[in-house]
């Protein structure tokens, strides 16, 4: 019983700090999304292609989450954008206090977009509000079409689903119609994009979604 | 501080029950392994190919872990083997008490092999001993070659690494030498197999490893 109490307290504390993060971001008109997926679904690649497509047209910052390394932040170094790496040292998700501490390292005035890349984990990050405007869940075609049914909480919490690695469809056992149907059966409100970071397919449409959400804030 | 105390107590309780599971399995001469990976790396497919290759030559049972569904157990139904599905209802890993309860549903006498398929999660299951003889971590080529560095605890805890989906190597950005080097830098003791569940490549060698470990028990 005491375990449940403490877990609830952790989530209450998290949600309270997430509210502060959200208020800070909103006060500066910053749109933000939290990229979540299994390890290796392509979160960092999508981020790279997104930065390339947006070019310098949007003032943005990135928070990178990782269990152990700063490999992803190193990959982003060449884009010359403000980026903070959070290393959880074994922790299986980002939480709102970690994001608050990372936010303190940016100058928010003038920013239009904050991208948070979570730890690769399709289970635990679903339960932690970071104060973001939207959760964006990425699933790759190589993972098969049943993942929304097997890990439903993440798909329930997300506003957007990116189906990545569509260039590999000819080689893998994944039915796109079934994948979309499974995801929408869990969350009919999902906006779905189909992308390939190899061919750039779908990246412009996804970036248009980002731009339109930034415009709504201004 | 109380949180740390309770987490330690949970792990101590888990390890105590894991010891009981291990003693039970050893008393019957049963070899067991715990399949762990990200969602979609191919654990269930490897299990299917393994069952097909072993045929009826080994008396085995399977425990399936899943967050929400019994999709994987359904996939195994056609093999006519004893199988128990554990649904964690949001829980991000199997633990030893769940496995103990599942074991109670088998008749252990005469079994040679127990296969446990964990929840798809490359972080949390690393910390939970289930009483298995060995952890077998699966990583697919589509996930890239940096995963051992980014999720080191799982690779430290494993005895075996299966690199799956090698048939997709021509189409993905994954350097096999780098992947193996990264894994062995974390854990030099790892036995490494390379498999494809589409072409059956590597499955016979992996099954030979299973057979040799069963032989050691008898």
């Amino acid at each position: 019983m005491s375990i449940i109490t403490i877990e609830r307290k952790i989530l209450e504390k998290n949600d309270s700090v997430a509210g502060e993060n959200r208020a800070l971001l909103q006060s500066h008109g910053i749109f933000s999304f939290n990229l979540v997926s299994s390890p290796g679904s392509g979160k960092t690649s999508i981020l790279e292609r997104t930065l390339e497509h947006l070019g310098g047209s949007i003032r943005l910052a990135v928070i990178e989450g990782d269990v152990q390394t700063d490999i992803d932040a190193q990959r982003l170094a060449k884009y010359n954008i403000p980026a903070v790496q959070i290393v959880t040292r074994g922790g299986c998700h980002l939480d709102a206090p970690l994001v608050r501490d990372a936010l303190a390292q940016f100058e928010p005035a003038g920013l239009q977009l904050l991208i948070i890349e979570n730890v690769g984990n399709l289970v635990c990050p679903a339960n932690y509000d970071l104060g973001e405007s939207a959760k964006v869940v990425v699933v790759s075609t190589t993972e098969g079409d049943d993942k929304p049914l097997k890990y439903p909480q993440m798909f329930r919490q997300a506003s957007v689903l990116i189906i990545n690695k569509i260039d590999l469809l000819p080689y893998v056992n994944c039915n796109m119609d079934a994948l979309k149907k499974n995801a929408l059966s869990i969350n009919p409100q999902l906006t779905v994009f189909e992308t390939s970071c190899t061919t750039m397919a779908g990246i412009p449409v996804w970036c248009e979604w980002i731009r339109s959400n930034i415009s709504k804030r201004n």
Side-chain angles (χ1 to χ4, degrees), chain A residues 14-28:
Chain A
N14 182 79
D15 288 353
S16 161
V17 177
E20 296 168 23
N21 292 347
R22 184 166 283 116
L24 174 73
L25 293 167
Q26 287 185 342
S27 73
H28 290 280

Side-chain angles (χ1 to χ4, degrees), chain A residues 29-64:
Chain A
I30 301 170
F31 176 66
S32 59
F33 61 86
N34 174 8
L35 265 180
V36 290
S37 81
S38 308
S41 298
K43 292 186 295 304
T44 312
S45 294
I46 289 172
L47 192 39
E48 290 176 307
R49 296 298 94 76
T50 300
L51 295 175
E52 287 156 17
H53 189 80
L54 292 175
S57 64
I58 288 174
R59 294 182 301 280
L60 58 85
V62 174
I63 296 175
E64 278 291 338

Side-chain angles (χ1 to χ4, degrees), chain A residues 77-103:
Chain A
K78 64 175 178 282
Y79 299 99
N80 274 318
I81 49 165
V84 171
Q85 177 78 55
I86 300 173
V87 176
T88 64
R89 303 218 175 282
C92 54
H93 59 270
L94 295 182
D95 62 24
L98 287 169
V99 169
R100 177 189 56 196
D101 295 348
L103 281 173

Side-chain angles (χ1 to χ4, degrees), chain A residues 120-142:
Chain A
N121 183 336
L122 207 50
V123 186
C124 313
N127 299 316
Y128 289 82
D129 181 13
L130 307 180
E132 73 277 49
S133 315
K135 278 195 176 69
V136 175
V137 60
V138 181
V139 67
S140 71
T141 58
T142 60

